[in-house]
Amino acid sequence: MPLLQTEEDGFRLDGDPFRIISGGLHYFRIHPELWGDRLHKARLMGLNTVETYVPWNLHQPRPDEFRMGAGLDLPRFLDLAAAEGLHVLLRPGPYICAEWEGGGLPAWLLADPSMRLRSRDPQFLAAVEDYFSRLLPPLHDRLATRGGPVLAVQVENEYGAYGEDTAYMEHLADSLHRHGVDVPLFTCDQPADLERGALPGVLATANFGSRSTEHLATLRSARPSGPLLCTEFWIGWFDRWGGNHIVRGAEQASQELDELLATGASVNFYMFHGGTNFGFMNGANDKHTYRPTVTSYDYDAPLDEAGDPTEKFAAFRQVIGKYAPVPAEVPPPRAAKFSLEAVELTESIALLVAAPALGDAVASHRPLTMEELGQGYGFVLYEAELPDAGPALLELEQVRDRAQVFLDGQPVGVLERECHENSLTFAVPRPGTALAVLVENQGRVNYGQGIHDRKGLLGRVLLNGSPLDGWTSRPLPLTATEDLPFGAGPATPTGPAFHRGTFDVDRPADTFLHLDGWTKGSAWVNGFALGRYWSRGPQRSLYVPGPVLRRGTNEVVVLELHAPGRERKVAFRDAPDLGPVED
């Protein structure tokens, strides 16, 4: 692969003028058997480069464990990009934002209440150093200096929107170099934050989605010479639960792209293909009100969530063709999808009954946070006995993020962080009544100071104004569904419950799971965690990658936190429902 040089008047690739025309494609949001398909379509749209973040929290789920296989096989992804003739912009963090759980920072960093993320806190820097020492050596052969596709590597991510500590950024740049990164480095920031986030001697780039001439002028003012690159050219947006599905018309987006390319600048679309926040990996925002992001990361991109070309694909391809060669090969049509109505979920088990099989309870005088339990994602079940009968006021200092409260297994209320709720009144029927509080981590905040986002019940718990002691805290990470003890307990449980059914497939293909009439929960197909659903919307279906299905009998498991759909049935359909479009 050629080497990238940053000269006063622009990029050079082995001495020849070069314009980066790139698109975001996050390997961790795509089933690994579909990486090649998405990369091929990137080239067909006219891209010469793809960009990807690296999620520290997936690669290092615990301090002593590092993963780089299967869906996290980053070397394989980079090799596939090279085989397609694509260069790569690599963004390893440690912080990535990306509307991803905690901005990609591992949950175990928050087990220490004194930890200061994205700073020169020695504990944080030691953890970053260990992360880089594990991540980067296997990637050396994929750097352009060694014949690989990686042209450049980013230092941190939009740091100027978070802090102003050049020494911290310099430490990260030095660490990348110490661990073998010898291709050009770059930073990226929104135009107003360039001065705080940039590094002397390192390429500074800008993020924006419109007014390209104006924002590039701001970048040029900050850096009088050197290449102009928009690292995140926002051509769509993400959705949050309770909002509408956000789209940006292909005509407007392509006009903005034309304006940018006409300046001679380089570009990376954010996103070319969004993909999916599978499992529990969606992030959240908290600008005085907590707002979790939905499972779909469709992003109204040139490829939709299932990897099919959208109207933007054709519009962008036409604009790119004005400035760079575009392959003659015709992009493929929409792929066939699998459909099956009315799959009945015939087996059920209450979550409170199944809980002992899913995690071990830890006794303490107060509820323990998810991080104190050594848990990253999912739920925590807190239990205690209530000493007296009669009217009761339960006060939970901080609910992170959604608590369902039960007395002797019967639901009595829900408290939501999003609604700033933290107290509940009910009648206690007898002394010794069992109190259970099921708390869902709905996604750690991925942007701003709120990234110090510990989960579970934080702070004091008061009952009628007095501390309530004698708790057990049971982690429920729900990393697997095969150990669920179906058959235990009542056949039609009330409250949170798992429901299981089977269905047959002749020809595996992509599909969308629809849960009409269901309320809130998560779903798995053949043990693969699809993500969360919520009748609040806007998203009303879950993407099922074709490689998850198999010929013959398949299994679907749904955790419904409230009431299951009519007759406990789900459907697989050939089209998604991402909700009503925002005006």
Side-chain angles (χ1 to χ4, degrees), residues 326-342:
V326 172
E329 182 180 345
V330 177
R334 184 176 185 271
K337 304 293 187 289
F338 168 77
S339 296
L340 182 65
E341 288 287 341

Side-chain angles (χ1 to χ4, degrees), residues 18-332:
F18 180 67
R19 186 205 296 253
I20 295 170
I21 302 179
S22 177
L25 191 68
H26 300 159
Y27 62 98
F28 50 94
R29 282 182 158 127
I30 306 166
H31 192 284
E33 292 186 31
L34 301 174
W35 288 346
D37 172 79
R38 307 309 193 248
L39 290 163
H40 181 62
K41 289 171 180 171
R43 185 176 63 80
L44 293 189
M45 199 178 80
L47 304 186
N48 56 32
T49 306
V50 292
E51 164 268 318
T52 186
Y53 282 125
V54 180
W56 182 6
N57 52 9
L58 287 190
H59 282 282
Q60 195 170 11
R62 286 180 287 277
D64 60 350
E65 179 184 357
F66 196 83
R67 300 175 178 176
M68 201 179 274
L72 296 174
D73 191 346
L74 178 54
R76 174 175 171 265
F77 176 81
L78 298 176
D79 290 345
L80 288 171
E84 195 63 51
L86 294 165
H87 307 291
V88 176
L89 300 176
L90 191 66
R91 306 169 79 185
Y95 164 81
I96 63 173
C97 185
E99 290 73 59
W100 189 252
E101 224 277 350
L105 298 169
W108 48 263
L109 290 172
L110 296 173
D112 183 345
S114 69
M115 175 68 73
R116 290 178 294 114
L117 305 174
R118 304 182 73 188
S119 78
R120 282 184 286 159
D121 180 338
Q123 300 173 93
F124 180 68
L125 292 183
V128 173
E129 193 75 13
D130 179 66
Y131 163 54
F132 282 169
S133 74
R134 298 169 186 256
L135 172 72
L136 296 172
L139 305 183
H140 286 172
D141 290 345
R142 279 77 181 183
L143 298 174
T145 47
R146 295 165 176 80
V150 178
L151 289 181
V153 173
Q154 182 174 291
V155 183
E156 240 263 6
N157 185 68
E158 289 193 328
Y159 181 70
Y162 181 83
E164 192 171 4
D165 185 352
T166 301
Y168 164 67
M169 293 289 285
E170 288 176 338
H171 181 96
L172 294 183
D174 290 344
S175 182
L176 290 168
H177 286 144
R178 283 196 305 275
H179 291 291
V181 175
D182 55 3
V183 296
L185 301 180
F186 65 98
T187 61
C188 78
D189 289 281
Q190 296 178 45
D193 303 323
L194 279 165
E195 292 299 330
R196 292 184 296 275
L199 265 178
V202 171
L203 175 68
T205 73
N207 299 343
F208 51 84
S210 61
R211 303 186 350 246
S212 298
T213 303
E214 172 188 339
H215 292 316
L216 289 172
T218 301
L219 176 57
R220 179 55 76 213
S221 176
R223 291 294 170 92
S225 65
L228 293 174
L229 168 61
C230 177
T231 294
E232 292 186 16
F233 184 63
W234 304 318
I235 52 85
W237 207 245
F238 59 92
D239 296 340
R240 66 170 181 85
W241 292 115
N244 289 327
H245 176 47
I246 300 174
V247 302
R248 185 181 187 188
E251 182 177 358
Q252 179 199 4
S254 60
Q255 287 174 352
E256 296 284 359
L257 172 62
D258 202 350
E259 178 187 338
L260 188 152
L261 293 178
T263 68
S266 290
V267 66
N268 175 65
F269 307 123
Y270 196 94
M271 298 287 295
F272 165 69
H273 171 52
T276 308
N277 298 315
F278 291 118
F280 298 120
M281 299 313 296
N282 64 278
N285 284 281
D286 192 351
K287 298 177 181 177
H288 308 298
T289 298
Y290 174 79
R291 303 288 194 194
T293 302
V294 304
T295 294
S296 172
Y297 204 63
D298 177 88
Y299 219 85
D300 193 33
L303 291 189
D304 66 16
E305 189 175 8
D308 291 317
T310 67
E311 186 180 355
K312 276 183 182 162
F313 187 101
F316 285 13
R317 191 170 188 263
Q318 184 175 8
V319 171
I320 292 169
K322 293 171 58 178
Y323 301 94
V326 172
E329 182 180 345
V330 177

